[in-house]
Amino acid sequence: MKVVHSIEDLRNQLRGQLRVAFVPTMGNLHAAHLSLMRLARQHGDPVVASIFVNRLQFGPHEDFDRYPRTLAQDIEKLEGERDVYVLFAPDERELYPEPQNFRIQPGDALGKILEGEFRPDFFMGVSTVVLKLFSCVQPQVAVFGKKDYQQLMVVRAMCRQFQLPVEILAHETVRDPDGLALSSRNRYLSADERAEAPQLYGLLQQVRDMIASGRSDCAAAESQALQTLRDRGWDPDYVSVRRQRDLLAPTAAEIHEGEPLVVLTAARLGATRLIDNLEFQAGR
Ligand code: PAF
C-alpha cells in the first residue's frame, strides 16, 4: 500500500485508473472500516482510503482535539487486509490551503433536522470535506456506512445535486456481538458505560417492534424510548421514526401501507455521544 500525503502524489498514483473505489475515514480504524474497504474492493480497483480528521465538521465544544489519531496503527491494519492500494492522509494545509474556505451547505430539509439540529455545522463540514476528497480522488464508487445514516443521505443528495459521477454504496452497520454499533468513539466509554451502551440498540429494536406490530404510534413509541433512556441515566438528543427515503416523519397511512422506515437516535452516555439507527417496515 502506498501512503501519500499530497494531492499531487495521489494523482500520480491514480493516473489512468478507470474504476477507483474510495473509502473516506477519519482514521482510528476498526473492523467496520475494514469491512467498508472489502466492499469497496468488490466494486472497484484500485481502492483508495483517506484518513483526515476534519475540523470543519466538529462543533466548538466537540471532541476535535481529543479525537484519536492513530495513523501508524491504521496503516498496519490496512496493510494486513491488503484491500487498499493508496492511503491518502493529507494534513489541514493540503485540504484547506486558504483561510477563507468555500463551504457546501445542505438544504435545511435534510441538513438541519435530527443530527443537524443538535450539531448545526456538522453536515456543512461533512459535505465540504467529502466534495474536496472526491475532487482529489475522483472515484467512480465511494462507500459509506449506514451507521451515519443521515450523513449517507446528505452525501447522496450532494452527488445528485452537483451531478457528481460517483456511485455511493451503503454498507450495513457493523455491530459487536452484544449489538453495540462499532464506532471510534466507543473507546471513550468507561467499563460500566460499555456494559450499558448496547441498550441503545435494544431500545431501537423495541421502537421498531411497537410500530411494526401496530401496538403504538410513532410519537408514543418515541417518547417512551426517550423516557427509558433518561431512566437508565442517558441524556438523549432524539429518538425519531422517519421515512427512509427523505427522513421526514411518516403519516399513519404510510406506516399502515408498509412505508420503509428508520428509527434514528443520538444520546449521551456520560461524556460520550452515541448515534445509531435501525431500518424496518411496518407489517414485516
Ligand atoms: O464518517 C466519517 O468518518 C466522516 O464524517 C467522513 C465521511 C470521513 C468525513 O470527514
Side-chain angles (χ1 to χ4, degrees):
M1 183 179 76
K2 315 265 191 290
V3 182
V4 298
H5 302 283
S6 73
I7 296 166
E8 190 185 352
D9 288 347
L10 174 72
R11 293 215 166 120
N12 284 337
Q13 290 296 336
L14 296 179
R15 187 156 298 122
Q17 298 288 357
L18 295 176
R19 184 125 184 113
V20 174
F22 178 44
V23 185
T25 80
M26 297 206 301
N28 194 237
L29 303 182
H30 46 66
H33 292 113
L34 301 179
S35 193
L36 300 187
M37 310 292 165
R38 279 196 291 282
L39 182 64
R41 188 76 183 77
Q42 288 161 20
H43 290 267
D45 186 16
V47 173
V48 177
S50 68
I51 292 182
F52 180 70
V53 184
N54 176 39
R55 186 188 295 271
L56 209 57
Q57 71 190 68
F58 288 79
H61 305 295
E62 293 182 0
D63 54 345
F64 176 75
D65 287 330
R66 68 178 183 130
Y67 199 85
R69 289 153 172 90
T70 52
L71 185 62
Q73 292 98 305
D74 292 345
I75 290 173
E76 247 176 60
K77 285 179 190 165
L78 291 176
E79 284 186 328
E81 294 288 320
R82 306 170 77 95
D83 288 316
V84 175
Y85 174 65
V86 179
L87 172 64
F88 178 43
D91 65 13
E92 282 194 312
R93 265 173 311 163
E94 189 69 10
L95 270 198
Y96 293 101
E98 294 174 35
Q100 293 299 316
N101 291 297
F102 282 85
R103 291 166 179 210
I104 305 299
Q105 186 70 58
D108 289 357
L110 187 55
K112 293 291 183 203
I113 59 168
L114 301 167
E115 281 300 280
E117 185 185 336
F118 292 91
R119 306 180 72 193
D121 286 332
F122 176 65
F123 291 119
M124 176 279 294
V126 167
S127 311
T128 302
V129 81
V130 170
L131 185 62
K132 278 171 177 279
L133 290 166
F134 281 3
S135 157
C136 298
V137 176
Q138 303 196 359
Q140 279 65 48
V141 183
V143 181
F144 290 80
K146 277 195 191 174
K147 172 167 169 292
D148 294 287
Y149 201 86
Q150 194 176 357
Q151 166 175 282
L152 170 67
M153 294 192 67
V154 165
V155 169
R156 283 199 159 130
M158 180 181 77
C159 288
R160 271 197 318 276
Q161 294 187 24
F162 285 103
Q163 291 85 17
L164 302 180
V166 187
E167 182 190 349
I168 304 298
L169 298 179
H171 190 291
E172 291 302 324
T173 300
V174 182
R175 299 181 182 279
D176 273 334
D178 61 8
L180 178 64
L182 297 195
S183 162
S184 300
R185 289 187 169 104
N186 292 352
R187 62 151 53 193
Y188 300 150
L189 298 168
S190 68
D192 284 350
E193 289 165 352
R194 176 62 191 80
E196 169 65 17
Q199 294 295 330
L200 194 62
Y201 183 52
L203 211 75
L204 293 179
Q205 291 172 309
Q206 281 173 29
V207 171
R208 173 201 60 194
D209 293 346
M210 286 167 78
I211 292 169
S213 66
R215 266 184 289 137
S216 176
D217 63 23
C218 292
E222 290 163 2
S223 60
Q224 188 174 323
L226 287 168
Q227 193 52 51
T228 306
L229 283 171
R230 288 190 189 107
D231 292 346
R232 299 188 67 93
W234 295 68
D235 176 16
D237 281 344
Y238 59 86
V239 175
S240 195
V241 178
R242 300 294 172 108
R243 304 195 300 215
Q244 287 179 25
R245 61 187 146 114
D246 54 11
L247 294 187
L248 293 182
T251 63
E254 284 170 341
I255 295 173
H256 185 69
E257 284 157 16
E259 172 79 26
L261 301 172
V262 55
V263 51
L264 306 104
T265 187
R268 224 163 274 98
L269 185 55
T272 308
R273 188 173 183 275
L274 300 178
I275 63 170
D276 203 350
N277 66 79
L278 179 62
E279 291 179 319
F280 67 99
Q281 214 164 335
R284 315 247 154 153

